Amino acid sequence: MSLTLVMIIAVAICILVIFVSALTTSKAYTTVKHTVDPLENNPHLQNMGENKHNSDEETKQ
C-alpha cells in the first residue's frame, strides 16, 4: 500500500515538473523577441575582423 502511494506521488511530481518546464519555456519563447543583427554596417563584425588581422600580424612576428 505505501509503495503504491509513493509511486503515485512520484509520478505526480514528475508530471508537475514537466508541466512547469513546458510552461516557462513557452513563456520565454513568446515574450522574448529573437532578432538577428544585420551583416551590413555591423560594428561588431568590423571589430572582429580588426582583432583577427592584429592577431595574425602578431603570430607572424
Side-chain angles (χ1 to χ4, degrees):
M1 175 76 178
S2 65
L3 182 61
T4 306
L5 182 63
V6 170
M7 289 299 290
I8 291 171
I9 292 172
V11 169
I13 290 173
C14 290
I15 291 171
L16 181 66
V17 167
I18 292 170
F19 176 74
V20 170
S21 299
L23 183 67
T24 56
T25 303
S26 67
K27 279 187 178 181
Y29 279 113
T30 57
T31 58
V32 177
K33 302 297 180 208
H34 299 282
T35 59
V36 177
D37 294 334
L39 293 176
E40 296 82 19
N41 300 324
N42 191 331
H44 299 292
L45 293 178
Q46 293 171 355
N47 291 339
M48 287 174 55
E50 291 172 2
N51 291 341
K52 184 177 182 206
H53 181 68
N54 291 339
S55 65
D56 288 343
E57 288 180 354
E58 290 175 358
T59 55
K60 289 180 183 177
Q61 294 176 358

